Amino acid sequence: MRLRYYRRALFLPFLASIATMFFVFLSLQTFSVVRVTPYYQGIFMGNFSCDQTQSTKNGTIVTSNMNVQLRNITKPPEIPMIYVITPTYKRPEQIPEITRLGQTLMLVPRVHWIVADDALEKNKLVQEYLDQMGMPYTYLLTPMPERFRNKKGAKPKGVANRNGAVDWIRNHSTEGVLYFADDDNSYDIRIFEEIRSTREVSMFPVGLVTSRSLSTPVLRNGRFEGWYDGWMGGRKFPVDMAGFAVSVQYLLKHPKATMPYSPGYEEDGFLKSLQVEIKNLEFLASNCTKVYVWHTRTHKNALADPVLLDPRYNNTNLQVLKKSLLLKPRATPRAS
């Protein structure tokens, strides 16, 4: 009897501990689902790109993949769409940088990525990458006007790209938020949830800008006092391109707003064309005390040596990999 009693006394706590561990496991699983998928539950399915070629005032739409479908969806709440505008151009770092930004955007719900390429013909590698991502996107061809491309000195890089994307938004949307996200920057995904609630124009700090390594509005007790930036340049809004977002509704109230072809004054000119005043500004990132975006720059790489075109590499994997490289022109043999 005494042995049976001791066995029962040891077995019951063991069962209780097993039951406790089981319920803790279930609670952790439920918690992880809530944290990982706050807006919807489901997965992307298939490849839904569809070729659409259409001329616009500031460029050409090559492909628009606007209706990505979801499977096993729990209906999401109505949260504003974020239109992320990314200017790009052909260079050795283009695909790696597009990949880095794309992987970030895949973690953000309700994003439509507008990739505006400074090119006359579509880049097959960019197109293929956007297709396989499985997220809503639009690929635009927005070449810089020749009068600026041939001009000596500083060039207004990315202006045609951004204006083309803004023009697309005007023609395809009536609500949401637009944000200029260059492909060589680094982004904490929290910046996208911050800007999603923008009512008119929001602003926030950007790191690694100029010699001061910071560009931000200056606030004291939550009130605007001025600007902190390494180059003021007589600008009304001395901010970085990644340091503000604009609601689509506010954009549509200013149909003539555009970005000027003035190197160094693109942000300032665009905001002034929107007739922005300090009263319109919403200061995000905990009253501009946190940095969620950095103006990082990728090391510029030289064009690849064309040695892999040598016949000795025929029928090897290099024949496939060369399609992903920008090669130096092969030297022309001198005439004897």
mmCIF file of all heavy atoms in Angstrom, residues 6 145 153-154 224 231 271 326:
data_model
loop_
_atom_site.group_PDB
_atom_site.id
_atom_site.type_symbol
_atom_site.label_atom_id
_atom_site.label_comp_id
_atom_site.label_asym_id
_atom_site.label_seq_id
_atom_site.Cartn_x
_atom_site.Cartn_y
_atom_site.Cartn_z
ATOM 1 N N TYR A 6 3.290 6.011 -2.871
ATOM 2 C CA TYR A 6 4.420 6.824 -3.331
ATOM 3 C C TYR A 6 4.451 6.935 -4.861
ATOM 4 O O TYR A 6 4.781 7.977 -5.417
ATOM 5 C CB TYR A 6 5.729 6.230 -2.824
ATOM 6 C CG TYR A 6 5.999 6.539 -1.364
ATOM 7 C CD1 TYR A 6 6.284 5.514 -0.452
ATOM 8 C CD2 TYR A 6 5.958 7.852 -0.898
ATOM 9 C CE1 TYR A 6 6.514 5.777 0.880
ATOM 10 C CE2 TYR A 6 6.193 8.129 0.449
ATOM 11 C CZ TYR A 6 6.471 7.103 1.337
ATOM 12 O OH TYR A 6 6.702 7.382 2.636
ATOM 13 N N PRO A 145 15.559 63.182 -69.449
ATOM 14 C CA PRO A 145 15.541 63.920 -70.718
ATOM 15 C C PRO A 145 16.960 64.210 -71.206
ATOM 16 O O PRO A 145 17.851 64.525 -70.412
ATOM 17 C CB PRO A 145 14.798 65.211 -70.360
ATOM 18 C CG PRO A 145 13.935 64.835 -69.198
ATOM 19 C CD PRO A 145 14.736 63.835 -68.417
ATOM 20 N N GLY A 153 28.402 69.101 -65.618
ATOM 21 C CA GLY A 153 28.236 69.308 -64.185
ATOM 22 C C GLY A 153 27.241 68.341 -63.567
ATOM 23 O O GLY A 153 26.916 67.285 -64.126
ATOM 24 N N ALA A 154 26.751 68.722 -62.377
ATOM 25 C CA ALA A 154 25.812 67.854 -61.641
ATOM 26 C C ALA A 154 24.531 67.645 -62.439
ATOM 27 O O ALA A 154 24.014 68.570 -63.069
ATOM 28 C CB ALA A 154 25.491 68.469 -60.286
ATOM 29 N N PHE A 224 8.086 72.384 -33.325
ATOM 30 C CA PHE A 224 9.100 72.587 -34.362
ATOM 31 C C PHE A 224 9.921 73.846 -34.083
ATOM 32 O O PHE A 224 9.376 74.900 -33.798
ATOM 33 C CB PHE A 224 8.423 72.705 -35.730
ATOM 34 C CG PHE A 224 9.371 73.047 -36.848
ATOM 35 C CD1 PHE A 224 10.164 72.051 -37.417
ATOM 36 C CD2 PHE A 224 9.475 74.350 -37.321
ATOM 37 C CE1 PHE A 224 11.043 72.358 -38.444
ATOM 38 C CE2 PHE A 224 10.352 74.661 -38.354
ATOM 39 C CZ PHE A 224 11.142 73.666 -38.904
ATOM 40 N N TRP A 231 23.853 70.443 -44.993
ATOM 41 C CA TRP A 231 23.855 71.421 -46.097
ATOM 42 C C TRP A 231 22.485 72.084 -46.156
ATOM 43 O O TRP A 231 21.507 71.465 -46.565
ATOM 44 C CB TRP A 231 24.176 70.754 -47.441
ATOM 45 C CG TRP A 231 24.190 71.725 -48.572
ATOM 46 C CD1 TRP A 231 25.114 72.703 -48.822
ATOM 47 C CD2 TRP A 231 23.218 71.834 -49.636
ATOM 48 N NE1 TRP A 231 24.794 73.415 -49.950
ATOM 49 C CE2 TRP A 231 23.637 72.905 -50.473
ATOM 50 C CE3 TRP A 231 22.051 71.141 -49.947
ATOM 51 C CZ2 TRP A 231 22.918 73.289 -51.606
ATOM 52 C CZ3 TRP A 231 21.344 71.521 -51.081
ATOM 53 C CH2 TRP A 231 21.774 72.583 -51.902
ATOM 54 N N LEU A 271 8.406 69.738 -52.289
ATOM 55 C CA LEU A 271 7.569 70.106 -51.136
ATOM 56 C C LEU A 271 6.976 71.500 -51.313
ATOM 57 O O LEU A 271 5.812 71.738 -50.964
ATOM 58 C CB LEU A 271 8.393 70.022 -49.853
ATOM 59 C CG LEU A 271 8.790 68.598 -49.423
ATOM 60 C CD1 LEU A 271 9.837 68.631 -48.321
ATOM 61 C CD2 LEU A 271 7.560 67.806 -48.991
ATOM 62 N N LEU A 326 27.502 43.015 -65.893
ATOM 63 C CA LEU A 326 27.792 44.070 -66.858
ATOM 64 C C LEU A 326 29.283 43.963 -67.179
ATOM 65 O O LEU A 326 30.128 44.142 -66.295
ATOM 66 C CB LEU A 326 27.463 45.447 -66.283
ATOM 67 C CG LEU A 326 25.983 45.721 -66.005
ATOM 68 C CD1 LEU A 326 25.804 47.127 -65.456
ATOM 69 C CD2 LEU A 326 25.155 45.554 -67.276
#
